Amino acid sequence: MASDGAFHNLLLLAVLLCLALTSSVGGEASRRFWIENDTFMKDGAPFQIVGGDVHYFRIVPEYWKDRLLRAKALGLNTIQTYVPWNLHEPQPQSWKFNGFADLESYLRLAQKLGMLVMLRVGPYICGEWDLGGFPPWLLTIEPALKLRSSDSTYLSLVGRWWGVLLPKVAPLLYRNGGPVIMVQIENEFGSFGDDKNYLHYLVQLARRYLGDDIVLYTTDGGAMGNLKNGSISQDDVFAAVDFETGSNPWPIFRLQKKYNLPGKSAPLTSEFYTGWLTHWGESMATTDATSTAKALKTILCRNGSAVLYMAHGGTNFGFYSGANTGQDEYDYKPDLTSYDYDAPIKEHGDVHNLKYKALRSVIHECIGTPLHPLPSDIEKANYGLVKLQKVASLFDIIDNISDPLKGVVSEHPLYMEQIGQMFGFLLYISEYQGKLPSSILSIPKVHDRAQVFLSCSTDSVRNPRYAGAIERWSSKTLEIPNLGCPANTSLYILVENMGRINYGPYIFDRKGILSPIQIDGVTLCHWKMYPLTFNSLDNLPKIQLVTQMPDVRASKVSIIHGHSEKKFQESSFYLNEPEFYEGHFHIDSESEIKDTFISFRGWNKGVVFVNNFNIGRFWPARGPQCALYVPGPILRPGDNVIVIFELHGPNPELTVNLVTDPDFTCGPKQ
């Protein structure tokens, strides 16, 4: 009997273990997200998406957790983010998934903090990001690709990219225990074209790696033409909408139903605009907190779903900010370094503002999300004035900062991408005979901004004379003086890539000089091209500007040409000369490291590095952004180094101010 009892106990234990395993498997199997009866369903219950875009690539990784917690405290249950192809494949088949590009860690962190994820995998994302997220090496392929189309070469490259990306996403899908509930196909394609075969291909590719259960979605503007071109309901892909904040959402949600399968049209605006983007030369875009909250309430309190674009904008560090156009490709409008977007969570993380509080209150009222105490704002430091010194002229050190392996000689000017220069600057050099009192330089197609310099070819002086600028958005010709050279005149053209177009019909946006260059109607040949190699966020650790320049000092000079001596005043000779400046500031201890802003009031235009990290472009002469955000994690105890590449002339006092204010109030429009 004792043995029988033991047997029965073992049998009972086995049954209990089996039930436990069955329950566990069943519990895992119950993890499901789908759409039914025009309602989002999660684990068998209706679910309302209250989301917000928070882009991992616009935030230093050390602050990912902080920004996500601030989004959660706002009342959000879902994070939406793009995946920029150019960040993850900067060169063909050179994959990056670490640092800023550590997508998997970001998604796992969101889940750890109790957030779901809507993932916008592109391959095109727009997002005011360079080339809409496409890697610029796509622009070098011949014959030229037709981006966002059924072009077979383009599709093969998309297939290769998603073949790397989507297997990383699959384990993080909601049904597999991860946070990803929805995956977006392309982005606002209905505003661009109507190539359904392209969209069908993307759907098939996504399902190959992610399975048939994943909710795929498109996002298009809430108008009939956009939805007709961009939706693919026949592939069981959910069509979400976006629209202006002041629009009445419910007629648009009713229109949305026409482009979804029956019962599959949960009302969702996947871009509810909390603010708007700003270009250089414009006043800072702002939206009213009260009206924004009121518009959100009309959606959420009627059981609609919304994703705030942006919940937190962040920063376009490095050279990754994009650009837009107006009526044609010459009506070029580059984006600011700041992507604050007037979002409720500010660029630097602050939440003690009217918009955050108003949106948080509406979410609480409509959804019942508990009102937790507001997070404390991150401390900022005023480190004060930093004195800089000129380290070198660009022309003094061109051999040091231009990769000799990338330097090119060609009969005709080449575009940047053609010689492997994906971001930043390219210097073009040629010669001509200056016979007239002055000449007309013509560059019909320059992307985006060219500074022109002259010197006599026999001159030993390295510093050419500034002759003016030719800009993509203005005049394409420039009157240049005759220096009276005994032989040829050397022509130097420094071209700045200010960000590739990210939206509209002109996204195939190669950079550099894209046309013949003429002097008085005669085409110039025999060009040397020197790329400046501080060219992208990913390559910044390799740059050693400080160690390359300490022994170089430019001097005031008199230049003698032929029979006349021309003494250029310092104000005219140096004002528009690209130069490097270096400054240092000390932080006593780890505890004193805090966020700060570098104010560039009194400076003109350029790029700044802090501890070899590219903070971004500054242009206070144009505005409206005067100060660039410096996150605390890039600072360090002890000596901190600022290197500025100024294109036109420094603040006369040779100082920058490290302040606590983001300062969006400079430029001629203010």
PDB file of all heavy atoms in Angstrom, residues 490-510:
ATOM      1  N   SER A 490      44.013  80.360 -58.935  1.00  0.00           N
ATOM      2  CA  SER A 490      43.466  79.150 -58.317  1.00  0.00           C
ATOM      3  C   SER A 490      42.079  79.454 -57.760  1.00  0.00           C
ATOM      4  O   SER A 490      41.868  80.483 -57.106  1.00  0.00           O
ATOM      5  CB  SER A 490      44.372  78.648 -57.196  1.00  0.00           C
ATOM      6  OG  SER A 490      45.587  78.148 -57.721  1.00  0.00           O
ATOM      7  N   LEU A 491      41.158  78.547 -58.024  1.00  0.00           N
ATOM      8  CA  LEU A 491      39.779  78.679 -57.573  1.00  0.00           C
ATOM      9  C   LEU A 491      39.489  77.566 -56.575  1.00  0.00           C
ATOM     10  O   LEU A 491      39.700  76.387 -56.861  1.00  0.00           O
ATOM     11  CB  LEU A 491      38.836  78.574 -58.777  1.00  0.00           C
ATOM     12  CG  LEU A 491      37.341  78.537 -58.497  1.00  0.00           C
ATOM     13  CD1 LEU A 491      36.864  79.875 -57.925  1.00  0.00           C
ATOM     14  CD2 LEU A 491      36.572  78.210 -59.776  1.00  0.00           C
ATOM     15  N   TYR A 492      39.032  77.951 -55.400  1.00  0.00           N
ATOM     16  CA  TYR A 492      38.691  76.998 -54.341  1.00  0.00           C
ATOM     17  C   TYR A 492      37.194  77.138 -54.051  1.00  0.00           C
ATOM     18  O   TYR A 492      36.711  78.244 -53.782  1.00  0.00           O
ATOM     19  CB  TYR A 492      39.460  77.286 -53.057  1.00  0.00           C
ATOM     20  CG  TYR A 492      40.961  77.312 -53.207  1.00  0.00           C
ATOM     21  CD1 TYR A 492      41.608  78.458 -53.681  1.00  0.00           C
ATOM     22  CD2 TYR A 492      41.744  76.220 -52.856  1.00  0.00           C
ATOM     23  CE1 TYR A 492      42.984  78.505 -53.813  1.00  0.00           C
ATOM     24  CE2 TYR A 492      43.128  76.252 -52.976  1.00  0.00           C
ATOM     25  CZ  TYR A 492      43.740  77.403 -53.454  1.00  0.00           C
ATOM     26  OH  TYR A 492      45.106  77.445 -53.581  1.00  0.00           O
ATOM     27  N   ILE A 493      36.480  76.033 -54.077  1.00  0.00           N
ATOM     28  CA  ILE A 493      35.045  76.056 -53.793  1.00  0.00           C
ATOM     29  C   ILE A 493      34.769  75.045 -52.684  1.00  0.00           C
ATOM     30  O   ILE A 493      34.905  73.839 -52.878  1.00  0.00           O
ATOM     31  CB  ILE A 493      34.213  75.712 -55.046  1.00  0.00           C
ATOM     32  CG1 ILE A 493      34.563  76.655 -56.204  1.00  0.00           C
ATOM     33  CG2 ILE A 493      32.726  75.794 -54.733  1.00  0.00           C
ATOM     34  CD1 ILE A 493      33.900  76.285 -57.520  1.00  0.00           C
ATOM     35  N   LEU A 494      34.412  75.551 -51.511  1.00  0.00           N
ATOM     36  CA  LEU A 494      34.083  74.691 -50.376  1.00  0.00           C
ATOM     37  C   LEU A 494      32.568  74.502 -50.337  1.00  0.00           C
ATOM     38  O   LEU A 494      31.821  75.460 -50.111  1.00  0.00           O
ATOM     39  CB  LEU A 494      34.571  75.309 -49.068  1.00  0.00           C
ATOM     40  CG  LEU A 494      34.265  74.506 -47.807  1.00  0.00           C
ATOM     41  CD1 LEU A 494      35.002  73.167 -47.813  1.00  0.00           C
ATOM     42  CD2 LEU A 494      34.598  75.313 -46.550  1.00  0.00           C
ATOM     43  N   VAL A 495      32.117  73.266 -50.566  1.00  0.00           N
ATOM     44  CA  VAL A 495      30.678  72.990 -50.630  1.00  0.00           C
ATOM     45  C   VAL A 495      30.246  72.271 -49.360  1.00  0.00           C
ATOM     46  O   VAL A 495      30.870  71.285 -48.938  1.00  0.00           O
ATOM     47  CB  VAL A 495      30.319  72.145 -51.866  1.00  0.00           C
ATOM     48  CG1 VAL A 495      28.828  71.834 -51.890  1.00  0.00           C
ATOM     49  CG2 VAL A 495      30.710  72.902 -53.133  1.00  0.00           C
ATOM     50  N   GLU A 496      29.175  72.766 -48.773  1.00  0.00           N
ATOM     51  CA  GLU A 496      28.603  72.177 -47.559  1.00  0.00           C
ATOM     52  C   GLU A 496      27.318  71.431 -47.896  1.00  0.00           C
ATOM     53  O   GLU A 496      26.414  71.978 -48.520  1.00  0.00           O
ATOM     54  CB  GLU A 496      28.302  73.272 -46.536  1.00  0.00           C
ATOM     55  CG  GLU A 496      27.673  72.729 -45.256  1.00  0.00           C
ATOM     56  CD  GLU A 496      27.268  73.819 -44.279  1.00  0.00           C
ATOM     57  OE1 GLU A 496      27.367  75.005 -44.642  1.00  0.00           O
ATOM     58  OE2 GLU A 496      26.846  73.479 -43.161  1.00  0.00           O
ATOM     59  N   ASN A 497      27.265  70.183 -47.490  1.00  0.00           N
ATOM     60  CA  ASN A 497      26.025  69.400 -47.510  1.00  0.00           C
ATOM     61  C   ASN A 497      25.262  69.764 -46.251  1.00  0.00           C
ATOM     62  O   ASN A 497      25.672  69.447 -45.142  1.00  0.00           O
ATOM     63  CB  ASN A 497      26.378  67.910 -47.547  1.00  0.00           C
ATOM     64  CG  ASN A 497      25.205  66.997 -47.225  1.00  0.00           C
ATOM     65  OD1 ASN A 497      24.087  67.432 -46.980  1.00  0.00           O
ATOM     66  ND2 ASN A 497      25.469  65.707 -47.194  1.00  0.00           N
ATOM     67  N   MET A 498      24.106  70.423 -46.405  1.00  0.00           N
ATOM     68  CA  MET A 498      23.347  70.892 -45.252  1.00  0.00           C
ATOM     69  C   MET A 498      22.194  69.968 -44.881  1.00  0.00           C
ATOM     70  O   MET A 498      21.351  70.328 -44.063  1.00  0.00           O
ATOM     71  CB  MET A 498      22.833  72.310 -45.523  1.00  0.00           C
ATOM     72  CG  MET A 498      23.944  73.332 -45.606  1.00  0.00           C
ATOM     73  SD  MET A 498      23.324  75.017 -45.694  1.00  0.00           S
ATOM     74  CE  MET A 498      22.418  75.125 -44.156  1.00  0.00           C
ATOM     75  N   GLY A 499      22.168  68.790 -45.454  1.00  0.00           N
ATOM     76  CA  GLY A 499      21.112  67.829 -45.133  1.00  0.00           C
ATOM     77  C   GLY A 499      20.319  67.481 -46.376  1.00  0.00           C
ATOM     78  O   GLY A 499      19.870  68.364 -47.110  1.00  0.00           O
ATOM     79  N   ARG A 500      20.144  66.193 -46.608  1.00  0.00           N
ATOM     80  CA  ARG A 500      19.411  65.767 -47.803  1.00  0.00           C
ATOM     81  C   ARG A 500      17.903  65.887 -47.598  1.00  0.00           C
ATOM     82  O   ARG A 500      17.397  65.725 -46.488  1.00  0.00           O
ATOM     83  CB  ARG A 500      19.784  64.323 -48.169  1.00  0.00           C
ATOM     84  CG  ARG A 500      21.231  64.187 -48.603  1.00  0.00           C
ATOM     85  CD  ARG A 500      21.594  62.748 -48.928  1.00  0.00           C
ATOM     86  NE  ARG A 500      23.021  62.661 -49.255  1.00  0.00           N
ATOM     87  CZ  ARG A 500      23.983  62.533 -48.355  1.00  0.00           C
ATOM     88  NH1 ARG A 500      23.680  62.466 -47.070  1.00  0.00           N
ATOM     89  NH2 ARG A 500      25.240  62.476 -48.722  1.00  0.00           N
ATOM     90  N   ILE A 501      17.231  66.130 -48.698  1.00  0.00           N
ATOM     91  CA  ILE A 501      15.778  66.270 -48.663  1.00  0.00           C
ATOM     92  C   ILE A 501      15.159  64.959 -48.185  1.00  0.00           C
ATOM     93  O   ILE A 501      15.550  63.875 -48.611  1.00  0.00           O
ATOM     94  CB  ILE A 501      15.249  66.670 -50.055  1.00  0.00           C
ATOM     95  CG1 ILE A 501      15.761  68.068 -50.417  1.00  0.00           C
ATOM     96  CG2 ILE A 501      13.730  66.617 -50.112  1.00  0.00           C
ATOM     97  CD1 ILE A 501      15.570  68.439 -51.873  1.00  0.00           C
ATOM     98  N   ASN A 502      14.203  65.060 -47.277  1.00  0.00           N
ATOM     99  CA  ASN A 502      13.608  63.866 -46.676  1.00  0.00           C
ATOM    100  C   ASN A 502      12.143  63.649 -47.051  1.00  0.00           C
ATOM    101  O   ASN A 502      11.551  62.645 -46.627  1.00  0.00           O
ATOM    102  CB  ASN A 502      13.727  63.909 -45.155  1.00  0.00           C
ATOM    103  CG  ASN A 502      13.125  65.166 -44.541  1.00  0.00           C
ATOM    104  OD1 ASN A 502      13.870  66.058 -44.143  1.00  0.00           O
ATOM    105  ND2 ASN A 502      11.815  65.258 -44.450  1.00  0.00           N
ATOM    106  N   TYR A 503      11.565  64.551 -47.839  1.00  0.00           N
ATOM    107  CA  TYR A 503      10.136  64.421 -48.139  1.00  0.00           C
ATOM    108  C   TYR A 503       9.847  65.022 -49.510  1.00  0.00           C
ATOM    109  O   TYR A 503      10.427  66.036 -49.884  1.00  0.00           O
ATOM    110  CB  TYR A 503       9.293  65.148 -47.078  1.00  0.00           C
ATOM    111  CG  TYR A 503       7.795  65.067 -47.315  1.00  0.00           C
ATOM    112  CD1 TYR A 503       7.083  63.941 -46.934  1.00  0.00           C
ATOM    113  CD2 TYR A 503       7.114  66.116 -47.915  1.00  0.00           C
ATOM    114  CE1 TYR A 503       5.717  63.853 -47.146  1.00  0.00           C
ATOM    115  CE2 TYR A 503       5.742  66.043 -48.137  1.00  0.00           C
ATOM    116  CZ  TYR A 503       5.047  64.907 -47.755  1.00  0.00           C
ATOM    117  OH  TYR A 503       3.682  64.822 -47.975  1.00  0.00           O
ATOM    118  N   GLY A 504       8.945  64.372 -50.245  1.00  0.00           N
ATOM    119  CA  GLY A 504       8.487  64.940 -51.504  1.00  0.00           C
ATOM    120  C   GLY A 504       9.159  64.331 -52.723  1.00  0.00           C
ATOM    121  O   GLY A 504       9.884  63.336 -52.632  1.00  0.00           O
ATOM    122  N   PRO A 505       8.962  64.949 -53.891  1.00  0.00           N
ATOM    123  CA  PRO A 505       9.431  64.350 -55.147  1.00  0.00           C
ATOM    124  C   PRO A 505      10.923  64.499 -55.396  1.00  0.00           C
ATOM    125  O   PRO A 505      11.443  63.908 -56.341  1.00  0.00           O
ATOM    126  CB  PRO A 505       8.633  65.125 -56.208  1.00  0.00           C
ATOM    127  CG  PRO A 505       8.343  66.448 -55.581  1.00  0.00           C
ATOM    128  CD  PRO A 505       8.145  66.166 -54.119  1.00  0.00           C
ATOM    129  N   TYR A 506      11.638  65.272 -54.559  1.00  0.00           N
ATOM    130  CA  TYR A 506      13.048  65.557 -54.838  1.00  0.00           C
ATOM    131  C   TYR A 506      13.992  64.857 -53.858  1.00  0.00           C
ATOM    132  O   TYR A 506      15.097  65.334 -53.598  1.00  0.00           O
ATOM    133  CB  TYR A 506      13.293  67.070 -54.800  1.00  0.00           C
ATOM    134  CG  TYR A 506      12.360  67.848 -55.695  1.00  0.00           C
ATOM    135  CD1 TYR A 506      11.387  68.684 -55.153  1.00  0.00           C
ATOM    136  CD2 TYR A 506      12.425  67.722 -57.084  1.00  0.00           C
ATOM    137  CE1 TYR A 506      10.513  69.387 -55.972  1.00  0.00           C
ATOM    138  CE2 TYR A 506      11.557  68.420 -57.909  1.00  0.00           C
ATOM    139  CZ  TYR A 506      10.596  69.250 -57.344  1.00  0.00           C
ATOM    140  OH  TYR A 506       9.725  69.944 -58.150  1.00  0.00           O
ATOM    141  N   ILE A 507      13.574  63.699 -53.334  1.00  0.00           N
ATOM    142  CA  ILE A 507      14.395  63.049 -52.313  1.00  0.00           C
ATOM    143  C   ILE A 507      15.677  62.451 -52.891  1.00  0.00           C
ATOM    144  O   ILE A 507      16.603  62.151 -52.137  1.00  0.00           O
ATOM    145  CB  ILE A 507      13.609  61.972 -51.540  1.00  0.00           C
ATOM    146  CG1 ILE A 507      13.097  60.880 -52.492  1.00  0.00           C
ATOM    147  CG2 ILE A 507      12.502  62.575 -50.724  1.00  0.00           C
ATOM    148  CD1 ILE A 507      12.515  59.688 -51.766  1.00  0.00           C
ATOM    149  N   PHE A 508      15.760  62.261 -54.202  1.00  0.00           N
ATOM    150  CA  PHE A 508      17.020  61.789 -54.798  1.00  0.00           C
ATOM    151  C   PHE A 508      17.975  62.983 -54.824  1.00  0.00           C
ATOM    152  O   PHE A 508      18.136  63.660 -55.842  1.00  0.00           O
ATOM    153  CB  PHE A 508      16.788  61.219 -56.193  1.00  0.00           C
ATOM    154  CG  PHE A 508      17.929  60.373 -56.690  1.00  0.00           C
ATOM    155  CD1 PHE A 508      17.919  59.001 -56.495  1.00  0.00           C
ATOM    156  CD2 PHE A 508      19.027  60.937 -57.326  1.00  0.00           C
ATOM    157  CE1 PHE A 508      18.976  58.206 -56.936  1.00  0.00           C
ATOM    158  CE2 PHE A 508      20.083  60.164 -57.770  1.00  0.00           C
ATOM    159  CZ  PHE A 508      20.054  58.789 -57.572  1.00  0.00           C
ATOM    160  N   ASP A 509      18.597  63.238 -53.690  1.00  0.00           N
ATOM    161  CA  ASP A 509      19.269  64.514 -53.435  1.00  0.00           C
ATOM    162  C   ASP A 509      20.763  64.304 -53.243  1.00  0.00           C
ATOM    163  O   ASP A 509      21.269  64.253 -52.130  1.00  0.00           O
ATOM    164  CB  ASP A 509      18.635  65.172 -52.195  1.00  0.00           C
ATOM    165  CG  ASP A 509      19.127  66.584 -51.963  1.00  0.00           C
ATOM    166  OD1 ASP A 509      19.621  67.206 -52.920  1.00  0.00           O
ATOM    167  OD2 ASP A 509      19.002  67.065 -50.822  1.00  0.00           O
ATOM    168  N   ARG A 510      21.473  64.179 -54.372  1.00  0.00           N
ATOM    169  CA  ARG A 510      22.927  64.104 -54.301  1.00  0.00           C
ATOM    170  C   ARG A 510      23.502  65.446 -53.856  1.00  0.00           C
ATOM    171  O   ARG A 510      22.884  66.493 -54.059  1.00  0.00           O
ATOM    172  CB  ARG A 510      23.498  63.715 -55.665  1.00  0.00           C
ATOM    173  CG  ARG A 510      23.227  62.267 -56.070  1.00  0.00           C
ATOM    174  CD  ARG A 510      23.581  62.032 -57.526  1.00  0.00           C
ATOM    175  NE  ARG A 510      23.541  60.601 -57.874  1.00  0.00           N
ATOM    176  CZ  ARG A 510      23.534  60.136 -59.113  1.00  0.00           C
ATOM    177  NH1 ARG A 510      23.569  60.993 -60.149  1.00  0.00           N
ATOM    178  NH2 ARG A 510      23.508  58.837 -59.340  1.00  0.00           N
TER     179      ARG A 510
END
